[in-house]
């Protein structure tokens, strides 16, 4: 079949990017479409996540006519019950969306294929359905059941929504039979009274190409303005102006033809949408209750683009990026989606045309300076991560491998030479490090926000060497490659972090204190020699796999209960190597770092206080530390003594 040239080029690039040469063309096309549709909903969904594409691709035997299933919670795709828990616990609310995809690597839109697809979707939500389904769809159905459990439903802001995508490479002409089937499945699903919205999209080659362009922020958009005022000339800026426009005109910029918000517009924004914060609630209340005041009370939107053409008051904008105004844009989108009329809301736009990256970055910093919030969402903006990004590039070149830290979403999206398997992001680095070097593989699969919060004193400390973060990421990528090649059975995918921990213990022995930079660098330098030798690395990894297989069976025989997520199984695994490999906290004490947030006098007039920590602040007393009231709000280095399950700070010293 002759493909549309742009689609063919993108498909070829996708095949190389994900190293899918071993699959047939239909299987590759299914994965390609699943990838494209998923990216249109969450641009960074696959960044550093080797499992998600495989999880959402459900086509094959017993697939009930469905090729892809994605479940979103609060705009994030989930692939485990723990993901659902972590996201819902963080936001204390739940907005769910189900996405179903059927893709045909052919030019005809077949009515019987769409009918099978729509009936399969209906069957997915029918608890009494007897249709045979494969293991992947069973897993997705379990997630669905959990989302519809009473505990989760208490967090719902509205019923979930559903989108069905039927993709073929011909030209969609609005065929009557297909449309009738589409209306029937919409009626069937709406009659279940389970969903807030049901949408069906027929995607032809032109629409698929447009979605790809939107994903790359490579598109043009036309809007009409009320008033336009040019700004003064600036070196490096081709053109700039301030424009007033109605919100429904601006809405054309931030939504796709399928009605999905263009998340890729906000890649250069300092922070993602913050949800129902007090400020965002105020913005929403203004839009709904006092729309005429919006232009007075809101700071407006700053938009950087490659170029814009102005014809009287009509703009054609090429490749826009919203660098300030992410919150306002999302609130407007959500309100418009609730069918409120936003045509009487006026927005102030600052439009800047430049292809100068330095100028763009300065605009991003300048327009967002007042908005920066120091929480886990901005972890990757810290100096430690900027240096870690440089270290990944430099050390990769030094040892002859390719590994990049994608510190910002889609940072390397436009570089076809960097494969998916050559990138790590904040999530994968955090998870692999927690498992491999902190000996907590039972926690490592949790969402990075949970890990950064729970292990705040053990992750990304200024005293840490960059090398263990690099090594854990490289090791994870190499282990995932062994899974893809079939050298490790897929049932051990949930134990990737356990495998990394055992690998380090087998090859390195006792791990030095992670805060002792010189010792840990020497330790890691020895490990890298094994990691960089493919045969030796595979042999060691398979030894670790053998240990896990035997330990799992022994654990089940002893305890008859789950084992992956419990710390006791981690200890049990470590005991299978040698007791001498376990870190001795007395001979190699761990140092922690934190800020003193309270100093007071006890009943005897002696100084004591607390060091900021999570989940509980650390108590300290002057009987064991030399301190003064001047230590308040200062950063200190300290160790921990534990008595009767309570932790005490000892050996406190000020950091310079």
């Amino acid at each position: 079949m002759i493909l549309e040239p742009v689609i063919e080029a993108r498909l070829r690039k996708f095949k190389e990017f994900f190293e899918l040469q071993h699959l047939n063309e239909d299987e590759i096309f299914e994965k390609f479409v699943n990838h494209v549709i998923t990216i249109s909903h969450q641009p960074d969904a696959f960044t550093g996540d080797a499992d998600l594409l495989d999880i959402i691709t459900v086509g094959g035997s017993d697939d009930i006519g469905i090729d892809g299933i994605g479940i979103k919670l609060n705009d994030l795709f989930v692939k485990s019950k723990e993901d659902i828990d972590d996201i819902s616990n963080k936001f204390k609310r739940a907005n769910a969306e189900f996405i179903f995809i059927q893709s045909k690597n052919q030019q005809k839109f077949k009515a019987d294929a769409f009918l099978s697809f729509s009936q399969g979707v209906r069957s997915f939500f029918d608890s009494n359905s007897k249709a045979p389904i494969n293991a992947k769809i069973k897993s997705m159905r379990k997630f669905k059941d959990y989302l519809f459990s009473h505990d989760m439903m208490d967090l719902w802001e509205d019923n979930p929504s559903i989108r069905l995508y039927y993709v073929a490479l011909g030209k969609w002409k609005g065929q009557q039979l297909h449309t009738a089937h589409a209306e029937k499945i919409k009626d069937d699903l709406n009659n279940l009274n389970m969903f807030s919205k049901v949408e069906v999209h027929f995607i032809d080659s032109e629409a698929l190409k447009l979605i790809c362009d939107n994903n790359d922020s490579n598109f043009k958009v036309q809007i009409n303005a009320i008033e336009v005022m040019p700004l003064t000339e600036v070196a490096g800026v081709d053109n700039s102006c301030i424009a007033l426009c109605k919100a429904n005109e601006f809405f054309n910029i931030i939504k796709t033809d399928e009605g999905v918000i263009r998340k890729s517009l906000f890649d250069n924004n300092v922070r993602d949408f913050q949800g129902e914060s007090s400020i965002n609630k105020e913005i929403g209340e203004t839009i709904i209750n006092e729309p005429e005041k919006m232009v007075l009370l809101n700071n407006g939107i700053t938009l950087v683009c490659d170029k814009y053409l102005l014809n009287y008051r009509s703009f054609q904008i090429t490749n826009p990026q919203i660098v300030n105004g992410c919150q306002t844009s999302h609130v407007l989108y959500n309100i418009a989606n609730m069918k409120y009329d936003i045509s009487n809301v006026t927005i102030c736009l600052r439009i800047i045309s430049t292809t100068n990256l330095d100028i763009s970055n300065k605009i991003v910093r300048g327009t967002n300076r007042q908005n920066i919030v120091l929480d886990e969402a901005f972890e990757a903006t810290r100096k430690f991560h900027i240096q870690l990004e440089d270290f990944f590039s430099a050390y990769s070149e030094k040892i002859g491998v390719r590994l990049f830290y994608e510190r910002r979403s889609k940072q390397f999206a436009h570089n076809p030479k960097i494969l998916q398997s050559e990138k790590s992001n904040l999530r994968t680095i955090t998870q692999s490090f927690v498992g491999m070097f902190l000996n907590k593989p039972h926690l490592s699969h949790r969402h990075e926000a949970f890990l950064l919060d729970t292990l705040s004193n053990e992750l990304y400390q200024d005293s840490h060497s960059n090398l263990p973060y690099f090594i854990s990421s490289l090791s994870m990528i190499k282990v995932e490659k062994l899974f893809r090649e079939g050298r490790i059975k897929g049932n051990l995918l949930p134990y990737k972090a356990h495998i990394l921990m055992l690998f380090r213990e087998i090859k390195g022995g006792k791990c030095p204190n992670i805060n002792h930079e010189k010792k840990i660098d020497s330790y890691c330098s020895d490990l890298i020699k094994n990691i960089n030798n493919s045969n030796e690395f595979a042999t060691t990894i398979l030894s670790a796999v053998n240990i896990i297989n035997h330990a799992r069976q022994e654990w089940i025989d002893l305890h008859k209960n789950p084992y992956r997520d419990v710390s006791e199984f981690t200890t049990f695994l470590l005991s299978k190597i040698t007791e001498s490999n376990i870190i001795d906290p007395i001979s190699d004490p761990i140092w922690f770092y934190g800020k003193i947030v309270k100093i007071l006098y006890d009943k005897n007039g002696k100084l004591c206080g607390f060091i900021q920590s999570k989940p509980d602040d650390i108590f300290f007393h002057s009987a064991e530390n030399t301190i003064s009231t001047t230590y308040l709000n200062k950063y200190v280095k300290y160790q921990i003594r534990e008595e009767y399950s309570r932790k005490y700070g000892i050996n406190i010293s000020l950091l310079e």
Side-chain angles (χ1 to χ4, degrees):
M1 183 182 65
I2 300 175
L3 293 177
E4 196 275 337
V6 175
I7 296 294
E8 184 178 21
R10 290 180 184 273
L11 188 60
R12 185 173 60 251
K13 184 189 297 184
F14 173 82
K15 178 179 176 179
E16 296 170 356
F17 187 74
F18 281 92
E19 303 174 80
L20 300 175
Q21 289 81 356
H22 60 289
L23 299 180
N24 65 48
E25 291 303 314
D26 287 342
E27 291 173 323
I28 294 171
F29 185 72
E30 286 180 13
K31 283 184 177 285
F32 170 69
V33 171
N34 290 343
H35 184 270
V36 169
I37 299 296
T38 303
I39 287 288
S40 73
H41 285 262
Q42 184 190 337
D44 63 349
F46 300 103
T47 302
D49 193 330
D51 302 334
L52 181 61
L53 184 57
D54 185 58
I55 288 171
I56 67 174
T57 302
V58 301
S61 60
D62 296 332
D63 62 14
I64 55 176
I66 302 172
D67 292 328
I69 301 177
I71 300 177
K72 287 168 61 184
L73 185 63
N74 297 350
D75 293 324
L76 301 173
F77 282 95
V78 298
K79 59 179 185 177
S80 68
K81 177 180 176 295
E82 288 81 8
D83 278 353
I84 295 173
D85 288 338
D86 290 344
I87 293 170
S88 58
N89 288 337
K90 177 177 176 58
F91 294 102
K92 306 302 180 187
R93 60 181 175 83
N95 288 316
E97 183 170 10
F98 294 88
I99 295 167
F100 296 91
I101 304 168
Q102 171 60 266
S103 49
K104 293 297 181 184
N105 188 18
Q106 57 192 24
Q107 292 188 339
K108 289 186 177 181
F109 284 86
K110 293 187 176 180
D112 57 343
F114 177 76
L115 181 60
S116 173
F117 170 49
S118 60
Q119 289 174 341
V121 174
R122 178 65 182 84
S123 172
F124 181 86
F125 292 101
D126 184 357
S127 57
N128 297 317
S129 173
K130 303 300 182 184
I133 56 175
N134 61 42
K136 290 183 177 181
I137 296 179
K138 283 180 182 177
S139 293
M140 287 295 184
R141 188 180 265 177
K142 286 180 181 178
F143 301 157
K144 178 265 296 182
D145 291 340
Y146 185 56
L147 283 169
F148 279 91
S149 65
H150 290 299
D151 288 344
M152 287 301 303
M153 289 172 69
D154 287 341
L155 300 176
W156 286 7
E157 293 186 329
D158 200 352
N159 286 354
S161 58
I162 301 181
R163 291 179 190 269
L164 280 68
Y165 292 89
Y166 183 83
V167 182
L169 291 175
K171 184 174 180 60
W172 171 245
K173 299 177 181 178
Q175 290 92 322
Q176 189 173 355
L177 183 56
H178 301 68
T179 304
H181 287 326
E183 291 303 316
K184 178 66 166 61
I185 185 59
K186 287 167 70 174
D187 289 342
D188 287 348
L189 293 172
N190 281 321
N191 288 337
L192 296 175
N193 294 318
M194 297 168 62
F195 308 107
S196 62
K197 180 170 59 176
V198 180
E199 294 185 4
V200 177
H201 302 285
F202 291 96
I203 307 296
D204 61 12
S205 59
E206 186 61 33
L208 186 61
K209 176 181 175 295
L210 183 59
I211 294 173
C212 291
D213 287 341
N214 286 334
N215 290 346
D216 294 337
S217 289
N218 181 27
F219 68 98
K220 295 179 180 178
V221 64
Q222 193 90 19
I223 65 167
N224 296 310
I226 303 169
E227 293 290 347
V228 179
M229 182 183 76
L231 295 175
T232 55
E233 291 187 9
V234 177
V237 173
D238 300 325
N239 229 341
S240 61
C241 68
I242 291 177
L244 297 179
C245 72
K246 292 299 183 181
N248 57 322
E249 289 289 331
F250 176 69
F251 194 57
N252 293 327
I253 297 177
I254 63 174
K255 76 170 182 69
T256 67
D257 288 349
E258 293 78 46
V260 178
I261 191 167
R262 299 183 200 266
K263 295 291 287 187
S264 59
L265 277 175
F266 310 101
D267 285 346
N268 292 334
N269 209 275
V270 170
R271 56 182 181 175
D272 202 352
F273 181 49
Q274 300 294 292
E276 294 299 315
S277 66
S278 58
I279 293 176
N280 288 342
K281 286 180 181 178
E282 287 180 16
I283 295 173
E285 288 169 0
T286 300
I287 293 171
I288 293 171
N289 300 321
E290 300 178 292
E292 72 283 354
K293 292 184 179 179
M294 181 65 177
V295 72
L296 301 177
L297 302 178
N298 188 264
N299 290 332
I301 312 289
T302 301
L303 186 152
V304 175
C305 60
D306 287 355
K307 67 177 181 179
Y308 69 80
L309 298 176
L310 179 61
N311 182 10
Y312 186 49
R313 291 176 181 171
S314 179
F315 282 94
Q316 185 185 69
I317 304 172
T318 301
N319 300 341
Q321 274 284 307
I322 292 173
V323 299
N324 185 261
C326 177
Q327 308 309 309
T328 300
S329 300
H330 279 79
V331 172
L332 270 170
Y333 173 82
N334 291 337
I335 288 174
N337 260 2
M338 292 188 289
K339 308 303 181 186
Y340 280 95
D341 181 12
I342 59 172
S343 62
N344 56 347
V345 177
T346 301
I347 298 294
C348 180
L349 285 180
R350 180 161 53 164
I351 305 173
I352 302 165
S353 169
T354 180
T355 55
N356 185 310
L357 188 58
D358 289 337
I359 295 288
S360 261
N361 288 337
K362 287 179 181 178
I363 294 168
V364 171
R365 288 196 298 270
T367 55
N368 286 281
R369 190 183 305 277
Q370 72 275 19
N371 293 325
I372 293 175
V373 179
L374 298 177
D375 59 19
E376 69 276 1
F378 305 102
E379 173 67 30
T381 66
R382 288 180 48 226
K383 184 179 178 182
F384 184 94
H385 293 273
I386 296 172
Q387 294 174 336
L388 188 62
E389 179 186 344
D390 292 338
F391 180 86
F392 266 56
S393 298
Y395 198 77
S396 294
E397 187 175 347
K398 176 181 177 181
I399 65 172
V401 301
R402 287 172 58 83
L403 181 59
F404 303 88
Y405 177 13
E406 191 164 40
R407 188 172 59 84
R408 292 173 286 116
S409 174
K410 296 186 74 175
Q411 183 175 344
F412 303 118
H414 303 295
N415 187 342
K417 296 181 180 179
I418 300 178
L419 301 178
Q420 182 74 6
S421 58
E422 296 170 343
K423 294 189 290 187
S424 288
N425 63 3
L426 180 64
R427 169 179 285 192
T428 54
I429 294 172
T430 302
Q431 291 176 335
S432 57
F433 178 82
V434 165
M436 188 170 185
F437 281 94
L438 297 187
N439 282 12
K440 292 182 169 81
H442 49 280
L443 292 180
S444 63
H445 64 289
R446 303 293 295 270
H447 195 275
E448 67 270 25
F450 170 85
L451 296 174
L452 290 167
D453 186 52
T454 305
L455 305 174
S456 60
N457 295 322
E458 301 175 66
L459 287 168
Y460 305 116
Q461 300 296 310
D462 289 339
S463 61
H464 286 183
S465 164
N466 293 150
L467 196 48
Y469 292 96
F470 178 91
I471 279 184
S472 55
S473 300
L474 180 62
S475 300
M476 179 64 81
I477 284 173
K478 286 180 170 285
V479 165
E480 288 173 344
K481 188 171 186 288
L482 293 175
F483 274 104
R484 289 198 304 274
E485 294 172 347
R487 301 182 68 179
I488 308 175
K489 290 185 177 180
N491 67 320
L492 285 184
L493 268 172
Y495 300 90
K496 290 185 294 187
H498 296 77
I499 293 171
L500 292 185
M501 178 188 73
L502 291 182
F503 163 79
R504 182 191 53 71
E505 291 282 342
I506 291 169
K507 296 307 297 184
K510 176 185 172 182
C511 183
N513 187 323
I514 200 68
N515 292 292
H516 292 169
E517 187 172 359
K518 289 184 178 179
K519 290 183 181 179
I520 200 70
D521 276 352
S522 175
Y523 179 82
C524 288
S525 295
D526 291 335
L527 284 178
I528 201 69
K529 295 173 185 175
N530 179 275
I531 296 169
N532 226 11
N533 183 317
S534 296
N535 292 332
E536 189 177 346
F537 177 76
T539 300
T540 310
I541 289 297
L542 293 177
S543 297
V545 167
N546 191 46
I547 291 172
I548 289 178
N549 280 328
H550 284 89
R552 286 171 68 204
Q553 189 57 54
E554 188 176 345
W555 183 266
I556 291 173
D557 292 342
L558 288 170
H559 300 278
K560 309 291 185 186
N561 64 359
Y563 36 81
R564 182 187 76 158
D565 302 340
V566 295
S567 60
E568 290 80 7
F569 182 66
T570 299
T571 305
F572 184 68
L573 268 181
L574 288 169
S575 72
K576 296 301 175 183
I577 306 174
T578 170
E579 293 293 333
S580 64
N581 283 351
I582 300 176
I583 298 172
D584 178 1
I586 297 176
S587 62
D588 197 7
I590 295 175
W591 288 95
F592 296 92
Y593 301 81
K595 184 169 74 170
I596 293 181
V597 291
K598 184 181 290 186
I599 291 181
L600 61 157
Y601 291 93
D602 67 10
K603 62 182 180 180
N604 298 314
K606 301 291 186 181
L607 283 175
C608 59
F610 292 88
I611 302 170
Q612 191 174 53
S613 182
K614 292 179 180 179
D616 300 306
D617 291 344
I618 303 295
F619 176 78
F620 64 88
H621 198 278
S622 56
E624 297 174 308
N625 299 281
T626 302
I627 58 173
S628 73
T629 55
T630 61
Y631 278 35
L632 183 63
N633 293 324
K634 298 289 179 63
Y635 285 89
V636 295
K637 172 182 175 183
Y638 66 99
Q639 293 171 344
I640 287 179
R641 175 171 57 82
E642 195 164 350
E643 288 183 4
Y644 306 109
S645 299
R646 185 171 181 183
K647 295 178 180 179
Y648 300 87
I650 61 173
N651 298 330
I652 293 174
S653 61
L654 283 174
L655 289 177
E656 294 182 2

